[in-house]
Structures are given as C-alpha cells and as structure tokens.
Amino acid sequence: MTHYIVGNITIHDLDRYRQYEAGFMPILQQHGGKIVVVSDAPTPLEGSWGSGRLVVLAFDTAEAAKGWMTSPEYREIAKHRLAASDATIVMAQGFG
C-alpha cells in the first residue's frame, strides 16, 4: 500500500536549504521513494495555504518511508533542512 509523506515547508535560509537539496535525491531513491509534488506556489481551492512549499513523496510501504526518514544518511542532510526551514510533515496511507 503506497504511503505518502506530505510536507509544508517554510524556507528562511535558501542557501542552507540548497545543501539539503544537494544530497536529497540519492537517499530518497535508495529507499525506493519518489517525488510526486514540489510546489512553491500551490493553488488554494478552499481555505488558506500560507506561504510554504508543498512536498509530496511516495513510498511503497510505511516501513520504507520511515526507514528513509530515520536513516543515518537522511538524518545527516536533514540538519540543513532543520536549520534552514520550519516544517510540518505528516505520513498518510493511500488508497488501493
């Protein structure tokens, strides 16, 4: 069952955040993850979104998603994201 990690990320130090982005894809791919959406300007259809970046990642299983996010390799680059942004990140199971 596909599991999605969804993030609302407000970046306040773009240079530092780019250090995070530089190492992101190889680690995501190593854990079987895929980028579904990255948008700095999602279009609100109801309610208000604010100013954060929308990120949606897909994994085949919850274990793969959690394994990616808790892996030593990801935790090493995540220090740049944590220093450069504020985020709300959730995981949800898809249908089918």
Side-chain angles (χ1 to χ4, degrees):
M1 185 78 52
T2 302
H3 280 69
Y4 297 93
I5 291 183
V6 180
N8 180 345
I9 304 169
T10 302
I11 301 166
H12 51 77
D13 182 345
L14 188 55
D15 290 334
R16 182 81 187 262
Y17 193 85
R18 285 188 175 136
Q19 293 177 43
Y20 167 71
E21 291 176 323
F24 184 85
M25 283 305 297
I27 299 166
L28 181 70
Q29 291 170 341
Q30 178 183 6
H31 290 270
K34 297 179 179 86
I35 294 176
V36 177
V37 174
V38 174
S39 177
D40 287 320
T43 303
L45 300 177
E46 189 172 316
S48 62
W49 176 258
S51 61
R53 171 178 282 187
L54 170 65
V55 176
V56 180
L57 308 176
F59 294 84
D60 289 339
T61 65
E63 293 75 21
K66 291 175 186 175
W68 164 75
M69 196 153 189
T70 60
S71 71
E73 299 86 2
Y74 180 75
R75 298 312 312 158
E76 181 61 27
I77 66 164
K79 66 184 179 186
H80 299 298
R81 179 182 58 78
L82 294 168
S85 66
D86 297 307
T88 299
I89 299 174
V90 299
M91 183 173 69
Q93 180 176 318
F95 286 103

